[in-house]
């Protein structure tokens, strides 16, 4: 465990990679069954055996904190140490002990993780990741994590960073609906082994085995926290309904206040604890000598100077009960104001737009919004959009134009979408892709740079980096496509977009190159389906089917509309193939 000497040893913020050698419960997949809640991933069961694991870790640290993230276990935080107190708020577990529960039958209830409304199927699997060294001695070290969620049109991007000058962890989260359907997202943060100590304006108090944390949200954000058993779930509000091609973003900070017995108020790097006449303050940033003004129940106003910095708490016992506190920094700026009579902000509830779109998406709904949703989900023209859905309309119209090879029209619609939703990295990617087909690109384009800034791990960008290169094929598979081959769900997401936009040649080239890295049966089935739809090369299609059906039956399984349609097409064309018959029965679902 880190000790106080690390405060002097470490300067700035640092990031490093490590390997966690740990033993844990061994699981095995159950046979896939029609109607499984875990589709398109198999349910898991405990075997009763223990196995050894070597798991990748990313360690972020500054003089006051150390946080460890495990990309191999869903991207969760597995350890957090407050160096100022020497307290491990969460220690790295000595073993991985699983319990029964969840959509896949088995869960690991440790650490802190991002959850979505129906539960992330891959919460114990690997996610994509990339580390960023600090830009300078004052820059934040960071790890970026991302996942295209199996069985869901949702994807998320996360950046966890540790500033060099604060005893805080900054987490920036971006959740996107990659479909033209209305989707429930219900994002929440789950802190296992943690109870909720309380909450206030803009913060939730979390109490771990070795210390106290404040989960602090940006001003104007709303959350709802609930403790159950040995976990605390913090829901992000409103955040439940995502419009077609919608994007939700939020930021929060985890700040350690291990010296305080409770949190009364948290603001701008300061935490206050008031208990009758007792007053205590802890800072996560060095503020120097701050002015502390306290009003008491007997009418007295007392004032003092307190040197506030990480690891240097201030406390005082006053003559009477404290009713109001104001803290100002050395420049006279107000950093925190608290009153015992302060009012809490109200839960905002669902927005008017979300409520209207959710109602319009229900079966049997009618009206302008319902007709628009029906048309875009089926790929029909729908240039006029309800308020708030203009970017989805632009995406749909660009798709129709691209399928017709009308690149100029597609580009105009993409520009229309970017005017409405400039933070959509897929629109920027699509603009670069269309420009390549128009023969207008040379080198790394502004569009690709914009998309990379918004989502550095976007799988479509890796695909475009490969597709924009010379067509010649080397002896070894391209390293640009290795990350895509390593995360087949992300690869299939990109392939489905390329097929959806009629870019069959691009899809075939990308699929062929990724198959040089590893065998992915569903990718071969998509190639076979494209050959049957677009060419007369039935013998080549049959060859791809034979290769795919000879591989072991394992994820990823088909769940997207194009994948399901392809399996049904191939099963009808090759009725003697038992693997296709099995997959066709699985995607058909239980009889109604």
């Amino acid at each position: 465990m880190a000790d106080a000497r690390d405060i002097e040893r470490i300067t700035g913020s640092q990031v490093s990679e490590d390997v966690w050698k740990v033993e844990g419960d061994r699981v095995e997949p159950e046979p896939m069954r029609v109607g499984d809640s875990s589709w398109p991933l198999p349910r898991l069961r405990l075997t009763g055996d223990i196995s050894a694991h070597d798991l990748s870790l990313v360690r972020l640290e500054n003089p006051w904190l150390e946080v460890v993230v495990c990309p191999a276990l869903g991207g969760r935080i597995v350890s957090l140490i407050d160096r100022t107190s020497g307290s491990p708020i969460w220690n790295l577990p000595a073993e991985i002990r699983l319990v029964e529960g969840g959509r896949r039958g088995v869960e690991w209830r440790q650490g802190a993780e991002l959850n979505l409304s129906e539960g992330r199927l891959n919460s114990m699997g690997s996610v994509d990741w990339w580390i960023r060294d600090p830009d300078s001695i004052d820059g934040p070290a960071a790890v970026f994590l991302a996942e295209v969620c199996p069985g869901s049109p949702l994807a998320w991007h996360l950046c966890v960073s540790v500033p060099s000058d604060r005893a805080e962890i900054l987490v920036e989260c971006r959740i996107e609906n990659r479909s033209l359907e209305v989707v429930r997202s219900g994002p929440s943060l789950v802190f296992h082994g943690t109870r909720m100590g309380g909450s206030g304006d803009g913060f939730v108090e979390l109490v771990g085995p070795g210390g106290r944390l404040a989960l602090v949200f940006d001003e104007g954000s709303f959350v709802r926290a609930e403790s159950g058993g040995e976990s605390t779930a913090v829901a992000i509000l409103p955040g439940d309904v995502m419009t077609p091609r919608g994007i939700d973003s939020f930021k929060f900070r985890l700040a350690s206040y291990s010296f305080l017995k409770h949190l009364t108020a948290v603001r701008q790097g300061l935490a206050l604890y008031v208990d009758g006449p007792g007053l205590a303050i802890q800072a996560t940033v060095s503020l120097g000598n701050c002015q502390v003004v306290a009003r008491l129940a007997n009418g007295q106003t007392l004032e003092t100077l307190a040197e506030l910095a990480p690891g240097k708490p201030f406390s005082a016992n006053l003559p009477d009960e404290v009713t109001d506190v104001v803290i100002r920094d050395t420049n006279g700026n107000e950093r925190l104001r608290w009153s015992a009579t302060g009012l809490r902000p109200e839960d905002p509830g669902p927005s008017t737009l979300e409520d209207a779109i959710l109602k319009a998406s229900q079966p049997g709904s009618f009206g302008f919004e319902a007709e628009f949703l029906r048309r875009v989900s089926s790929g029909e023209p729908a240039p006029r959009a309800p308020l708030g859905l203009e970017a989805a309309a632009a995406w749909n119209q660009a798709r129709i134009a691209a399928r017709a090879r009308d690149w100029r029209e597609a580009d105009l619609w993409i520009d229309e979408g970017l005017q409405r939703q400039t933070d959509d990295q897929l629109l920027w990617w699509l603009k670069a892709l269309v420009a390549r087909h128009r023969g207008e690109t040379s080198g790394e384009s502004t569009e690709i740079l914009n998309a990379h800034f918004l989502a550095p791990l976007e799988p479509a960008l890796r695909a475009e980096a490969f597709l924009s290169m010379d067509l010649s094929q080397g002896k070894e598979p391209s390293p640009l496509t290795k990350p895509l081959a390593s995360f087949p769900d992300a690869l299939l997401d990109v392939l489905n977009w390329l097929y959806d936009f009629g870019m069959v040649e691009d899809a075939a080239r990308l699929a062929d190159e990724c198959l040089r890295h590893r065998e992915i049966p569903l990718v071969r089935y998509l190639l076979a389906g494209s050959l049957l739809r677009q060419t007369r090369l039935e013998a080549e299609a049959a060859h791809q089917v034979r290769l795919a059906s000879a591989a072991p039956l394992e994820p990823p399984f088909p769940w997207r509309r194009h994948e399901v349609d392809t399996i049904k097409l191939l099963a009808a064309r090759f009725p003697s193939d038992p693997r296709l018959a099995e997959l066709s029965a699985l995607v058909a679902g239980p009889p109604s």
Side-chain angles (χ1 to χ4, degrees):
M1 187 184 80
D3 59 38
R5 288 172 296 179
D6 291 323
I7 297 177
E8 298 177 357
R9 178 177 62 83
I10 295 176
T11 59
S13 62
Q14 300 178 8
V15 60
S16 58
E17 299 177 44
D18 202 351
V19 176
W20 183 20
K21 295 183 179 295
V22 63
E23 291 188 342
D25 292 322
R26 192 169 71 85
V27 297
E28 62 183 14
E30 295 182 353
M32 296 297 298
R33 295 186 294 268
V34 174
D36 269 351
S37 62
S38 63
W39 181 263
L41 296 180
R43 286 180 61 83
L44 303 173
R45 62 172 169 240
L46 294 166
T47 64
D49 299 325
I50 300 295
S51 56
H53 305 274
D54 291 347
L55 303 177
S56 296
L57 295 178
V58 177
R59 179 173 283 100
L60 297 158
E61 49 192 336
N62 67 15
W64 305 287
L65 288 175
E66 176 189 296
V67 60
V68 179
V69 178
C70 185
L73 286 169
R76 73 184 72 200
I77 294 174
V78 292
S79 173
L80 176 58
I81 295 174
D82 182 345
R83 288 194 165 116
T84 63
S85 65
S87 298
I89 296 171
W90 296 303
N91 238 337
L92 193 65
E95 57 185 357
I96 297 176
R97 300 311 304 263
L98 306 178
V99 297
E100 294 183 349
R103 292 176 63 191
R104 297 194 67 187
V106 173
E107 294 179 315
W108 189 49
R109 297 173 185 166
Q110 291 285 333
E113 62 175 322
L114 173 70
N115 201 5
L116 300 172
S117 59
E118 295 182 353
R120 282 175 49 216
L121 289 174
N122 192 43
S123 65
M124 296 192 304
S126 294
V127 300
D128 201 0
W129 60 284
W130 168 67
I131 61 173
R132 180 186 68 195
D133 290 316
D135 300 325
S136 67
I137 194 169
D138 295 319
V143 57
F144 293 83
L145 305 122
E147 180 187 29
V148 175
C149 298
S152 166
L154 297 175
W156 56 265
H157 304 259
L158 210 63
C159 175
V160 182
S161 61
V162 177
S164 61
D165 60 347
R166 307 177 77 93
E168 297 177 349
I169 303 160
L170 175 63
V171 182
E172 302 168 80
C173 185
R174 173 186 174 91
I175 299 173
E176 57 182 288
N177 176 5
R178 294 169 81 91
S179 76
L180 287 171
E181 310 278 348
V182 177
V183 177
R184 286 190 177 275
S185 59
S188 64
L189 307 166
V190 181
F191 298 87
H192 299 289
T194 304
R195 64 177 177 83
M196 185 175 71
S199 63
D201 186 3
F203 78 94
V204 175
E205 178 185 355
L206 303 170
V207 183
R212 194 172 305 275
L213 284 172
L215 178 66
V216 187
F217 283 82
D218 283 352
E219 207 166 323
S221 296
F222 292 88
V223 301
R224 182 175 56 246
E226 297 177 351
S227 278
E230 298 181 355
S231 298
T232 298
V234 182
I236 317 300
L237 304 175
D240 187 42
V241 178
M242 295 196 73
T243 58
R245 298 287 312 123
I247 297 172
D248 284 342
S249 300
F250 57 90
K251 299 179 184 179
F252 63 91
R253 290 176 286 125
L254 282 171
S256 174
Y257 295 110
S258 296
F259 290 102
L260 302 185
K261 293 181 179 179
H262 183 55
L263 302 182
T264 303
V266 178
R267 187 173 177 83
Q268 298 190 76
L270 287 173
L272 171 70
Y273 169 51
V274 174
D275 182 18
L279 178 151
I281 303 168
Q282 187 176 347
T284 59
V285 61
S286 295
L287 296 173
N289 282 324
C290 293
Q291 180 191 44
V292 180
V293 181
R295 181 182 293 275
L296 308 184
N298 62 13
Q300 275 187 291
T301 298
L302 302 181
E303 180 180 325
T304 188
L305 291 178
E307 184 182 353
L308 298 178
K312 295 181 178 180
F314 167 84
S315 62
N317 284 311
L318 304 179
D320 202 353
E321 184 176 338
V322 179
T323 61
D324 298 86
V325 177
V326 176
I327 304 173
R328 298 185 180 92
D329 62 24
T330 54
N331 297 317
N333 299 315
E334 185 175 293
R335 305 286 298 199
L336 184 149
R337 177 181 290 270
W338 170 81
S339 174
T341 59
L343 298 177
R344 295 283 304 279
E346 294 183 2
D347 183 333
S351 70
T352 304
L353 173 62
E354 286 183 343
D355 189 55
I357 296 302
L358 183 61
K359 289 179 180 178
S361 67
Q362 302 304 310
S365 298
F366 58 91
F368 181 37
E369 290 87 354
E371 178 62 15
F372 172 81
L373 293 173
R374 186 195 65 78
R375 292 181 71 87
V376 296
S377 66
S378 59
E380 300 176 37
R384 289 183 59 246
L387 184 66
L389 298 179
E390 295 89 350
W395 178 276
N396 184 55
Q397 294 302 119
R399 171 177 64 174
I400 293 170
R403 292 180 73 89
R405 291 293 195 267
D406 188 342
W407 305 120
R408 180 179 177 277
E409 179 74 5
D411 194 51
L412 289 173
W413 278 109
I414 294 168
D415 285 341
E416 173 70 19
L418 286 170
Q419 288 181 22
R420 306 286 185 172
Q421 195 160 278
T422 57
D423 62 344
D424 187 339
Q425 83 278 3
L426 283 177
L427 275 172
W428 287 110
W429 160 72
L430 190 58
K431 187 170 177 64
L433 189 150
V434 168
R436 173 168 57 82
H437 279 272
R438 296 179 74 178
E440 296 179 353
T441 57
S442 58
E444 194 168 31
S445 67
T446 302
E447 293 81 11
I448 292 296
L449 291 173
N450 288 343
H452 188 270
F453 173 78
L454 291 166
L457 293 174
E458 169 55 54
L461 300 181
R462 287 171 167 157
E464 185 58 20
F466 167 74
L467 293 171
S468 60
M469 293 178 61
D470 192 323
L471 286 171
S472 60
Q473 193 177 74
K475 291 183 179 180
E476 300 296 326
S478 170
L480 292 173
T481 56
K482 186 177 181 179
L484 285 171
S486 300
F487 294 95
D489 286 295
L491 168 62
L492 286 160
D493 188 68
V494 177
L495 289 175
N496 275 272
W497 281 126
L498 293 173
Y499 284 125
D500 198 35
F501 277 81
M503 299 177 183
V504 178
E505 297 84 359
D506 284 351
R509 185 179 166 213
L510 178 63
D512 282 335
E513 192 66 19
C514 288
L515 287 170
R516 297 178 70 199
H517 285 284
R518 60 174 292 193
E519 184 62 41
I520 309 171
L522 185 52
V523 171
R524 288 203 185 275
Y525 286 134
L526 293 182
L527 278 174
S530 179
L531 288 168
L532 291 180
R533 292 184 180 101
Q534 308 293 332
T535 73
R536 297 180 179 179
L537 301 176
E538 186 159 341
E540 176 60 22
H543 174 65
Q544 295 292 343
V545 166
R546 282 195 298 273
L547 290 175
S549 295
L553 180 64
E554 59 185 17
F557 294 117
W559 65 270
R560 298 173 181 87
R561 184 182 303 174
H562 179 70
E563 295 165 0
V564 171
D565 290 346
T566 296
I567 293 299
K568 291 178 178 178
L569 169 68
L570 295 175
R573 188 65 63 93
F574 303 103
S576 61
D577 187 304
R579 175 64 54 77
L580 284 172
E582 183 178 5
L583 288 174
S584 182
L586 286 171
V587 299
S592 56

